[in-house]
Amino acid sequence: MLFQPAKTPTELKIKHLNKAQDERRHALLEATQGKAAIKQLKKRMAKKAKKVLKDSSKSKHKDQQVFVLDFDGDIKASGVKHLREEISSIISSANKGDEVVIRLESPGGMVHGYGLAAAQLVRLKDAGLTLTVCVDKVAASGGYMMACVADNIIAAPFAVVGSIGVVSQLPNFHKWLKKHDVDYEMFTAGDYKRTVTMFGENDDEDRAKYQSEIEQTHQLFKHFVTTYRPQLNLDKVATGEHWYGEDALKLKLVDTLQTSDSYILSRMASNQVYALYSQKKPTLAEKLGLTQAAEATLQMATDKLPDLLAQIESKRLDKLLK
């Protein structure tokens, strides 16, 4: 792909969801009602296709396409390396007015990682595309930072949403090191190159500086959210709390209660919908199945190792006793 380094090449796969849905429908009808039912279905679909074509010729949104992406976020937002490639591909080929649907699942994580992920979604808005984010399970903290960029946020009734706050925690081993007569030394240039530390002794000034940095990050988070969702009452929602879908709707954290499946099916009724997936390009060994074979052989050897060791030990004892 375009922006991936040569050492980690990726490949993009595209699935036409309308076509996949038709194939499943045909298979189910044939299994349950026979080939006659398929003929009737084809007639209805042809009639419907003519009507859609006629309506689209009159519509201002002619030939609108919908692209579906998935983002499953970990603490580092490492999925952004694929997301940026998928977004670049869409921007290069989509028309203004086309829609991008992000199925987003993330409890949040590192600020800089999710800041970059949210900035990637902003690129879609800047390109004149409509952005919809669907949350089936959770979009909290950094996950909500991404979601708030959308023109429309759709959440399942029990999806976890919000947590507009910042948290940082770390252990301190200073007393343990002191107890075991271990000295810890740190050298810095600049008054605030380091504030709190895991191994040194932290004082009130260190803690106050670190707390002020946390507060500053929270202010940036709140500013970002209000930029894209000015309808929010920050005094109520920027407390670090999270809410389930129905309460999130009342607080205007989301716009609609609906599952991603239901929404995508509704878009398929009158639009061509494509799902994009980018993944690490398999090596030659992986293509030939050598990697899986090696893993299976290693697992087999590992499983047999205890018995083999027991046999060796048994033979050794027999020799000693003779």
Side-chain angles (χ1 to χ4, degrees), residues 3 18 37 67 85 108 162 173 213 215 231 277-278 284 290 300:
F3 300 114
N18 301 71
F67 301 95
E85 296 285 354
F173 299 97
E213 292 171 351
E215 295 291 345
Q231 66 269 40
Y277 309 90
S278 63
L284 179 60
L290 299 179
M300 187 182 299

Side-chain angles (χ1 to χ4, degrees), residues 56-75:
S56 64
S57 64
K58 298 177 181 179
S59 174
K60 295 180 180 179
H61 304 289
K62 187 177 180 180
D63 298 325
Q64 185 184 43
Q65 301 175 104
V66 179
F67 301 95
V68 180
L69 305 179
D70 289 287
F71 184 87
D72 190 2
D74 56 18
I75 194 169

Side-chain angles (χ1 to χ4, degrees), residues 4 69-71 77-90 100 102 104 116-118 120-121 123-124 146 278:
Q4 288 290 347
L69 305 179
D70 289 287
F71 184 87
S78 55
V80 73
K81 66 183 178 182
H82 293 300
L83 181 67
R84 67 200 303 178
E85 296 285 354
E86 294 160 358
I87 288 175
S88 295
S89 298
I90 291 173
V100 179
I102 309 287
L104 173 63
L116 176 59
Q120 295 297 330
L121 300 189
R123 292 174 59 206
L124 293 168
M146 293 178 66
S278 63

Side-chain angles (χ1 to χ4, degrees), residues 74-256:
D74 56 18
I75 194 169
K76 295 182 179 180
S78 55
V80 73
K81 66 183 178 182
H82 293 300
L83 181 67
R84 67 200 303 178
E85 296 285 354
E86 294 160 358
I87 288 175
S88 295
S89 298
I90 291 173
I91 290 175
S92 66
S93 60
N95 301 314
K96 286 189 177 181
D98 284 348
E99 181 181 4
V100 179
V101 178
I102 309 287
R103 291 184 289 201
L104 173 63
E105 302 295 340
S106 175
M110 295 181 176
V111 175
H112 57 281
Y114 279 92
L116 176 59
Q120 295 297 330
L121 300 189
V122 173
R123 292 174 59 206
L124 293 168
K125 300 281 292 292
D126 292 342
L129 303 176
T130 301
L131 177 61
T132 300
V133 166
C134 295
V135 183
D136 287 327
K137 294 180 181 178
V138 56
S141 194
Y144 189 75
M145 181 190 292
M146 293 178 66
C148 74
V149 176
D151 299 292
N152 187 28
I153 303 177
I154 299 172
F158 287 94
V160 175
V161 179
S163 190
I164 304 174
V166 183
V167 62
S168 178
Q169 53 189 353
L170 70 164
N172 183 266
F173 299 97
H174 173 70
K175 291 182 179 179
W176 185 88
L177 294 174
K178 187 176 181 180
K179 179 180 178 181
H180 291 81
D181 296 323
V182 178
D183 291 330
Y184 174 75
E185 296 182 356
M186 179 170 60
F187 305 91
T188 62
D191 293 341
Y192 300 115
K193 180 61 179 177
R194 284 290 181 272
T195 52
V196 295
T197 171
M198 293 176 59
F199 301 105
E201 183 176 8
N202 298 316
D203 56 29
D204 291 339
E205 183 181 357
D206 295 330
R207 297 187 185 94
K209 175 59 179 174
Y210 196 71
Q211 182 63 41
S212 71
E213 292 171 351
I214 296 294
E215 295 291 345
Q216 182 183 12
T217 304
H218 190 210
Q219 290 299 322
L220 290 172
F221 190 177
K222 292 193 292 183
H223 175 71
F224 187 86
V225 170
T226 52
T227 299
Y228 294 98
R229 290 191 73 83
Q231 66 269 40
L232 288 176
N233 183 342
L234 277 186
D235 291 336
K236 286 187 177 181
V237 300
T239 58
E241 299 171 86
H242 66 267
W243 293 268
Y244 292 107
E246 293 190 2
D247 291 330
L249 180 64
K250 295 175 184 176
L251 292 169
K252 300 181 180 180
L253 287 162
V254 302
D255 302 298
T256 311

